Amino acid sequence: MTSCRAVENLIARYAELVDDGDFAGLGLLLADASFAGSGAPVSGRAAIEKMFRDTLIVYADGTPRTQHVTTNIAIEVDEQTRTAVSRSYVTVLQALPELALQPIAAGRYRDRFEHRDGEWRFVERRADIKLVGDVSRHLRGVAEQP
């Protein structure tokens, strides 16, 4: 597998884990990374897992009922230093029995990766959400949007 493909697979794996509500898996995926979203950056497996558990609403099926669509993925690999950076767009869709399928957020990811111990891994993920819809059924403590 090429380095670009391995990094792209990590980006896709993140979306799968969030949408599956697998916060332990997210902690493992980002164990060597820092994650920066709307709050202060969080680092380490346990802290990242806790941040997702404390932030996202999970429904009876064990998921947040979302689909993270990651597009416009641009990856730059430096094979000499065994590092990579990427930037991509993210659109978050959500649907519930009482909520029609709709986009609830959109923005960009900026990521850094390292190749260590024979595998690529996240070193940093920065989520910069630019467009926000009704996230009241996705994020804890957010009032419904008019």
Side-chain angles (χ1 to χ4, degrees), residues 91-103:
T91 303
V92 183
L93 305 170
Q94 187 177 41
L96 294 161
E98 71 280 1
L99 178 73
L101 177 64
Q102 61 184 279

PDB file of all heavy atoms in Angstrom, residues 91-103:
ATOM      1  N   THR A  91     -18.315  17.192   5.615  1.00  0.00           N
ATOM      2  CA  THR A  91     -19.731  17.535   5.720  1.00  0.00           C
ATOM      3  C   THR A  91     -20.357  16.473   6.599  1.00  0.00           C
ATOM      4  O   THR A  91     -20.174  15.275   6.365  1.00  0.00           O
ATOM      5  CB  THR A  91     -20.422  17.551   4.342  1.00  0.00           C
ATOM      6  OG1 THR A  91     -19.716  18.469   3.499  1.00  0.00           O
ATOM      7  CG2 THR A  91     -21.879  17.955   4.466  1.00  0.00           C
ATOM      8  N   VAL A  92     -21.067  16.905   7.636  1.00  0.00           N
ATOM      9  CA  VAL A  92     -21.702  15.978   8.561  1.00  0.00           C
ATOM     10  C   VAL A  92     -23.193  15.980   8.295  1.00  0.00           C
ATOM     11  O   VAL A  92     -23.845  17.024   8.347  1.00  0.00           O
ATOM     12  CB  VAL A  92     -21.425  16.364  10.038  1.00  0.00           C
ATOM     13  CG1 VAL A  92     -22.038  15.329  10.971  1.00  0.00           C
ATOM     14  CG2 VAL A  92     -19.936  16.509  10.282  1.00  0.00           C
ATOM     15  N   LEU A  93     -23.725  14.790   7.992  1.00  0.00           N
ATOM     16  CA  LEU A  93     -25.155  14.600   7.763  1.00  0.00           C
ATOM     17  C   LEU A  93     -25.733  13.883   8.970  1.00  0.00           C
ATOM     18  O   LEU A  93     -25.052  13.082   9.612  1.00  0.00           O
ATOM     19  CB  LEU A  93     -25.383  13.758   6.513  1.00  0.00           C
ATOM     20  CG  LEU A  93     -24.728  14.258   5.229  1.00  0.00           C
ATOM     21  CD1 LEU A  93     -24.824  13.212   4.144  1.00  0.00           C
ATOM     22  CD2 LEU A  93     -25.356  15.560   4.787  1.00  0.00           C
ATOM     23  N   GLN A  94     -27.007  14.151   9.270  1.00  0.00           N
ATOM     24  CA  GLN A  94     -27.670  13.448  10.366  1.00  0.00           C
ATOM     25  C   GLN A  94     -29.125  13.211  10.000  1.00  0.00           C
ATOM     26  O   GLN A  94     -29.753  14.035   9.322  1.00  0.00           O
ATOM     27  CB  GLN A  94     -27.599  14.256  11.668  1.00  0.00           C
ATOM     28  CG  GLN A  94     -28.128  13.482  12.867  1.00  0.00           C
ATOM     29  CD  GLN A  94     -27.983  14.260  14.167  1.00  0.00           C
ATOM     30  OE1 GLN A  94     -28.223  15.452  14.218  1.00  0.00           O
ATOM     31  NE2 GLN A  94     -27.584  13.554  15.217  1.00  0.00           N
ATOM     32  N   ALA A  95     -29.655  12.091  10.471  1.00  0.00           N
ATOM     33  CA  ALA A  95     -31.073  11.764  10.304  1.00  0.00           C
ATOM     34  C   ALA A  95     -31.526  10.981  11.524  1.00  0.00           C
ATOM     35  O   ALA A  95     -30.786  10.157  12.059  1.00  0.00           O
ATOM     36  CB  ALA A  95     -31.306  10.945   9.044  1.00  0.00           C
ATOM     37  N   LEU A  96     -32.743  11.260  11.953  1.00  0.00           N
ATOM     38  CA  LEU A  96     -33.396  10.560  13.065  1.00  0.00           C
ATOM     39  C   LEU A  96     -34.833  10.300  12.637  1.00  0.00           C
ATOM     40  O   LEU A  96     -35.321  10.908  11.679  1.00  0.00           O
ATOM     41  CB  LEU A  96     -33.384  11.431  14.321  1.00  0.00           C
ATOM     42  CG  LEU A  96     -32.010  11.719  14.914  1.00  0.00           C
ATOM     43  CD1 LEU A  96     -32.060  12.930  15.825  1.00  0.00           C
ATOM     44  CD2 LEU A  96     -31.523  10.500  15.664  1.00  0.00           C
ATOM     45  N   PRO A  97     -35.540   9.422  13.326  1.00  0.00           N
ATOM     46  CA  PRO A  97     -36.935   9.194  12.940  1.00  0.00           C
ATOM     47  C   PRO A  97     -37.752  10.481  12.852  1.00  0.00           C
ATOM     48  O   PRO A  97     -38.572  10.640  11.954  1.00  0.00           O
ATOM     49  CB  PRO A  97     -37.458   8.270  14.042  1.00  0.00           C
ATOM     50  CG  PRO A  97     -36.242   7.526  14.493  1.00  0.00           C
ATOM     51  CD  PRO A  97     -35.111   8.518  14.411  1.00  0.00           C
ATOM     52  N   GLU A  98     -37.476  11.437  13.747  1.00  0.00           N
ATOM     53  CA  GLU A  98     -38.231  12.699  13.739  1.00  0.00           C
ATOM     54  C   GLU A  98     -37.479  13.830  13.038  1.00  0.00           C
ATOM     55  O   GLU A  98     -37.926  14.971  13.044  1.00  0.00           O
ATOM     56  CB  GLU A  98     -38.558  13.121  15.178  1.00  0.00           C
ATOM     57  CG  GLU A  98     -37.382  13.605  15.993  1.00  0.00           C
ATOM     58  CD  GLU A  98     -36.489  12.517  16.575  1.00  0.00           C
ATOM     59  OE1 GLU A  98     -36.721  11.311  16.370  1.00  0.00           O
ATOM     60  OE2 GLU A  98     -35.519  12.886  17.251  1.00  0.00           O
ATOM     61  N   LEU A  99     -36.343  13.512  12.408  1.00  0.00           N
ATOM     62  CA  LEU A  99     -35.515  14.520  11.752  1.00  0.00           C
ATOM     63  C   LEU A  99     -35.123  14.016  10.375  1.00  0.00           C
ATOM     64  O   LEU A  99     -34.445  12.995  10.260  1.00  0.00           O
ATOM     65  CB  LEU A  99     -34.244  14.778  12.592  1.00  0.00           C
ATOM     66  CG  LEU A  99     -33.240  15.766  12.035  1.00  0.00           C
ATOM     67  CD1 LEU A  99     -33.760  17.190  12.159  1.00  0.00           C
ATOM     68  CD2 LEU A  99     -31.905  15.627  12.772  1.00  0.00           C
ATOM     69  N   ALA A 100     -35.551  14.745   9.348  1.00  0.00           N
ATOM     70  CA  ALA A 100     -35.186  14.358   7.983  1.00  0.00           C
ATOM     71  C   ALA A 100     -33.678  14.476   7.789  1.00  0.00           C
ATOM     72  O   ALA A 100     -33.007  15.273   8.457  1.00  0.00           O
ATOM     73  CB  ALA A 100     -35.905  15.263   6.983  1.00  0.00           C
ATOM     74  N   LEU A 101     -33.156  13.674   6.880  1.00  0.00           N
ATOM     75  CA  LEU A 101     -31.738  13.730   6.555  1.00  0.00           C
ATOM     76  C   LEU A 101     -31.372  15.162   6.179  1.00  0.00           C
ATOM     77  O   LEU A 101     -32.023  15.784   5.333  1.00  0.00           O
ATOM     78  CB  LEU A 101     -31.420  12.787   5.389  1.00  0.00           C
ATOM     79  CG  LEU A 101     -29.979  12.792   4.904  1.00  0.00           C
ATOM     80  CD1 LEU A 101     -29.038  12.288   5.995  1.00  0.00           C
ATOM     81  CD2 LEU A 101     -29.852  11.959   3.643  1.00  0.00           C
ATOM     82  N   GLN A 102     -30.310  15.675   6.837  1.00  0.00           N
ATOM     83  CA  GLN A 102     -29.888  17.044   6.559  1.00  0.00           C
ATOM     84  C   GLN A 102     -28.426  17.238   6.933  1.00  0.00           C
ATOM     85  O   GLN A 102     -27.902  16.550   7.815  1.00  0.00           O
ATOM     86  CB  GLN A 102     -30.744  18.030   7.337  1.00  0.00           C
ATOM     87  CG  GLN A 102     -30.665  17.872   8.841  1.00  0.00           C
ATOM     88  CD  GLN A 102     -31.611  18.811   9.551  1.00  0.00           C
ATOM     89  OE1 GLN A 102     -31.293  19.976   9.720  1.00  0.00           O
ATOM     90  NE2 GLN A 102     -32.772  18.298   9.921  1.00  0.00           N
ATOM     91  N   PRO A 103     -27.766  18.184   6.254  1.00  0.00           N
ATOM     92  CA  PRO A 103     -26.418  18.538   6.679  1.00  0.00           C
ATOM     93  C   PRO A 103     -26.509  19.348   7.968  1.00  0.00           C
ATOM     94  O   PRO A 103     -27.381  20.215   8.096  1.00  0.00           O
ATOM     95  CB  PRO A 103     -25.870  19.377   5.529  1.00  0.00           C
ATOM     96  CG  PRO A 103     -27.058  19.847   4.779  1.00  0.00           C
ATOM     97  CD  PRO A 103     -28.179  18.887   5.054  1.00  0.00           C
TER      98      PRO A 103
END
